[in-house]
């Protein structure tokens, strides 16, 4: 009964391909996020959704398209993959407004673009 | 522009001794500061937080100190245990309703030697 689960854990693909990562949370949270951890190890926010509505879009290339079919799911689709997209992508959820800052993360999806 | 900085990439301490992990920030508008802990192949998990109006928060073996004038916080773990070996991320929260977001440092790897 994992609180935030994301699939797949690992993706290896060629440049130019399209891939998707799925995320689901069973915590009843209203807000979900995608974070990217690149080779420099920084965790950077990409998107946040509140109850299916896009709230934060941190100047991510439009090849990245999040989709939230309902407030428990936030999927990430990436078109025309580039080498620089290789990273670990973390899904997370929180109560509305982040409260005192507690995020609940999934285990991460490691994307390798060859 | 790194608003949250963890300048030491790693720290090694002996079991039973104190671990002190440091973090600096540049934005005086942050409302909360948090520490997250991450084991390999897992997502970060919340460890402890402190409000910007406090200077100390303690939870068992973990204590966070905040020095607002120096824009510096530190996490003390005492006594350190081998199970504390992990990557520790410092994070800062700017509360702004639905637009609230956490800014992370790049983490410090703590190794506790038996």
């Amino acid at each position: 009964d994992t609180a935030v689960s994301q699939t797949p854990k690992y993706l290896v693909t060629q440049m130019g391909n399209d891939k998707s990562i799925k995320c689901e949370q069973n915590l009843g949270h209203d807000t979900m996020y995608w974070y990217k951890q690149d080779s420099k190890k920084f965790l950077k926010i990409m998107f946040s959704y509140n109850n299916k509505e896009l709230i934060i879009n941190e100047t991510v290339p439009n090849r990245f398209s999040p989709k939230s079919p309902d407030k428990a799911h936030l999927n990430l689709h990436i078109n025309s993959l580039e080498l620089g997209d290789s990273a670990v992508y973390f899904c997370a959820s929180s109560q509305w407004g982040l409260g005192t800052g507690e995020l609940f993360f999934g285990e991460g999806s490691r994307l390798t673009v060859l | 522009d790194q608003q949250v900085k963890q300048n030491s990439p790693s720290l090694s301490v002996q079991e039973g001794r104190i671990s002190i992990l440091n973090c600096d920030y540049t934005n005086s508008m942050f409302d909360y500061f948090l520490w997250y802990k991450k084991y390999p192949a897992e997502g970060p998990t919340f460890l402890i937080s402190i409000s910007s109006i406090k200077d100390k928060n303690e939870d068992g073996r973990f204590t966070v100190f905040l020095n607002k004038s120096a824009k510096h916080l530190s996490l003390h773990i005492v006594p350190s245990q081998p199970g504390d070996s992990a990557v520790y991320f410092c994070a800062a929260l700017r509360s702004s309703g639905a637009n609230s977001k956490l800014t992370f440092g790049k983490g410090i790897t703590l190794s506790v030697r038996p």
Side-chain angles (χ1 to χ4, degrees):
Chain A
D1 57 340
T2 306
V4 181
S5 58
Q6 52 184 111
T7 55
K9 286 195 72 170
Y10 300 96
L11 304 91
V12 181
T13 188
Q14 300 286 331
M15 277 175 51
N17 284 349
D18 304 339
K19 288 293 178 187
S20 293
I21 308 171
K22 295 186 176 182
C23 179
E24 175 181 7
Q25 56 94 5
N26 62 9
L27 296 167
H29 288 155
D30 289 316
T31 308
M32 296 185 72
Y33 310 80
W34 279 107
Y35 275 81
K36 177 181 180 180
Q37 186 181 28
D38 58 21
S39 58
K40 294 182 180 176
K41 304 301 182 187
F42 283 102
L43 267 169
K44 292 183 179 176
I45 188 169
M46 301 172 67
F47 302 101
S48 76
Y49 268 74
N50 186 68
N51 203 8
K52 303 193 296 176
E53 180 186 354
L54 177 65
I55 302 297
I56 294 173
N57 181 342
E58 286 287 297
T59 59
V60 177
N62 58 16
R63 297 183 296 104
F64 291 78
S65 51
K67 286 201 170 41
S68 182
D70 55 62
K71 75 173 193 175
H73 295 84
L74 180 61
N75 304 322
L76 183 65
H77 189 75
I78 316 170
N79 291 328
S80 304
L81 278 157
E82 301 177 356
L83 292 176
D85 297 332
S86 295
V88 182
Y89 292 85
F90 288 97
C91 177
S93 72
S94 77
Q95 62 182 21
W96 184 90
L98 254 178
T100 55
E102 188 170 356
L103 277 175
F104 293 80
F105 283 91
E107 292 184 326
S109 297
R110 180 177 292 277
L111 171 65
T112 303
V113 182
L114 304 173
Chain B
D1 176 26
Q2 299 174 35
Q3 296 189 61
V4 178
K5 302 177 186 180
Q6 294 177 261
N7 293 319
S8 301
S10 62
L11 175 68
S12 181
V13 300
Q14 192 74 37
E15 180 178 6
R17 306 295 290 268
I18 185 170
S19 296
I20 300 177
L21 289 69
N22 293 307
C23 178
D24 298 294
Y25 62 95
T26 57
N27 187 343
S28 58
M29 301 298 290
F30 287 129
D31 300 290
Y32 284 91
F33 301 90
L34 303 95
W35 288 91
Y36 280 77
K37 178 179 178 179
K38 184 184 179 305
Y39 292 117
E42 294 185 11
T45 55
F46 169 76
L47 183 60
I48 191 170
S49 65
I50 186 168
S51 165
S52 61
I53 62 173
K54 301 277 181 74
D55 54 19
K56 177 182 175 182
N57 186 29
E58 189 173 352
D59 183 3
R61 296 185 298 113
F62 303 90
T63 303
V64 57
F65 295 92
L66 175 62
N67 182 334
K68 286 190 72 175
S69 61
K71 294 193 175 67
H72 177 84
L73 65 152
S74 59
L75 173 68
H76 293 212
I77 307 172
V78 56
S80 301
Q81 298 174 354
D84 296 330
S85 298
V87 177
Y88 288 79
F89 290 95
C90 175
L93 171 68
R94 177 82 192 273
S95 296
S96 54
N99 289 302
S100 300
K101 63 180 181 180
L102 278 180
T103 301
F104 286 86
K106 63 178 179 180
I108 177 170
T109 301
L110 174 64
S111 300
V112 180
R113 306 186 302 274

